[in-house]
Amino acid sequence: MVVVRKSALEEFEKVKKLVQEGFPDFDVRNLCVLLGRLGTYHYKKKSMLVGTERKLYNLLVENSYNPFTVYRWALLERVPDEIKFQLRNHYLSQKTASRLFFERRHETETSLQVDIKQLSLKIIKEM
């Protein structure tokens, strides 16, 4: 039997639909923050879940979803399109895609700052 690995992004879309069906008034855009708390609770159980958090946690567990895994999928939804493309085609693992996104986000800021500083110093010297 051939096992076809599903894309994390496709699985996260299924989870979002499941959440929308279970909680029609819930704002899915804020789901990542809530999933972070649920994922932490799933392994550490030091805090207490009440209300919507508890219901969402039970919904995920009843449908055989690990809340921490779903949180990682939610983080992958934020990555740039070129990394998503590589992830969908299985050129990158989820962990590598997350690491690349983190590095790229922080490298861009520092390299951009250095470039601006160098250009501004060059302009000042030319005056």
Side-chain angles (χ1 to χ4, degrees):
M1 180 170 87
V2 176
V3 177
V4 177
R5 187 173 73 178
K6 293 183 181 179
S7 171
L9 301 170
E10 293 170 3
E11 285 294 318
F12 186 64
E13 288 299 320
K14 289 181 186 177
V15 171
K16 284 191 342 189
K17 288 179 185 174
L18 180 69
V19 170
Q20 286 176 342
E21 291 171 3
F23 305 96
D25 57 336
F26 187 73
D27 185 18
V28 182
R29 287 176 281 160
N30 297 328
L31 188 61
C32 192
V33 175
L34 183 58
L35 286 173
R37 277 188 257 141
L38 297 180
T40 302
Y41 172 80
H42 186 69
Y43 284 110
K44 296 189 179 179
K45 299 209 182 354
K46 291 184 180 180
S47 61
M48 198 164 123
L49 297 178
V50 291
T52 307
E53 291 178 352
R54 176 51 106 183
K55 291 176 185 175
L56 182 58
Y57 178 81
N58 289 335
L59 178 71
L60 291 174
V61 172
E62 288 170 1
N63 288 292
S64 302
Y65 287 109
N66 181 333
F68 190 75
T69 303
V70 175
Y71 173 60
R72 287 194 327 236
W73 293 344
L75 292 176
L76 287 175
E77 191 177 47
R78 297 178 177 183
V79 300
D81 290 334
E82 63 270 7
I83 295 177
K84 278 184 187 179
F85 176 77
Q86 292 176 349
L87 190 61
R88 277 193 188 107
N89 293 324
H90 308 295
Y91 297 132
L92 294 176
S93 67
Q94 292 177 18
K95 187 174 186 177
T96 306
S98 295
R99 183 178 49 78
L100 279 174
F101 174 57
F102 180 81
E103 287 174 359
R104 187 174 294 176
R105 186 176 61 196
H106 292 321
E107 279 180 2
T108 304
E109 291 173 2
T110 57
S111 65
L112 183 62
Q113 290 170 353
V114 169
D115 289 342
I116 290 173
K117 183 178 177 182
Q118 288 174 350
L119 285 172
S120 60
L121 289 173
K122 183 180 175 183
I123 290 172
I124 290 171
K125 285 180 184 177
E126 290 176 357
M127 289 181 148

